[in-house]
Amino acid sequence: MRVQQLFGLGARYGVHRTARVQFPRGLASAPTIPATPIGLQRKQRAPEDTHTMRRRLLYQMRKRGILETDLLLSTFASQHLPTLSRDELSDLDVLLSNIDWDIFYWATNKTQAPKE
């Protein structure tokens, strides 16, 4: 898809990590801690027209919470968002459901982006 080519990032639906806890010495066995989801979960959205979707994505790209990611995404948005197709906007929406630091590291090639 064009979004992945232009921005160089993969998209995935959600992030789950296992909680890691340090236990005091002398504890015979550590209790089992279930995996807890951290990160953003994909919301099911009501159908929206392309103009509304563009406006929502622009806001989400500019107001992420981490300045570095805001700068990367807002620069991409100003250059490419007006020309993206509906399918590319949907791919971008999936990409934005990831954690800010993951997006930043993928964009700066610090970590390998997922193939999805």
Side-chain angles (χ1 to χ4, degrees):
M1 288 294 183
R2 188 167 152 200
V3 172
Q4 293 167 343
Q5 293 169 350
L6 292 175
F7 199 46
L9 299 180
R12 62 182 170 178
Y13 285 94
V15 176
H16 296 279
R17 295 193 178 142
T18 304
R20 185 171 231 189
V21 178
Q22 295 288 332
F23 295 99
R25 293 180 193 199
L27 190 60
S29 63
T32 304
I33 297 176
T36 56
I38 61 172
L40 305 173
Q41 300 296 317
R42 296 253 324 129
K43 280 184 179 178
Q44 293 300 324
R45 298 188 187 280
E48 58 189 352
D49 61 82
T50 305
H51 177 70
T52 304
M53 188 177 203
R54 271 197 182 91
R55 290 179 57 200
R56 178 178 56 78
L57 291 174
L58 177 62
Y59 179 81
Q60 288 179 341
M61 293 172 86
R62 292 176 56 206
K63 304 292 182 182
R64 297 292 296 179
I66 297 175
L67 180 61
E68 294 87 346
T69 307
D70 290 348
L71 293 172
L72 287 171
L73 292 175
S74 63
T75 302
F76 174 81
S78 66
Q79 294 174 3
H80 302 290
L81 195 62
T83 61
L84 295 179
S85 70
R86 177 73 182 188
D87 290 336
E88 292 167 336
L89 291 172
S90 295
D91 290 343
L92 183 58
D93 194 15
V94 170
L95 173 72
L96 293 177
S97 69
N98 290 290
I99 296 173
D100 289 354
W101 282 115
D102 286 345
I103 295 171
F104 177 75
Y105 289 140
W106 295 335
T108 57
N109 292 322
K110 299 281 185 193
T111 60
Q112 183 69 31
K115 297 192 187 290
E116 300 154 352

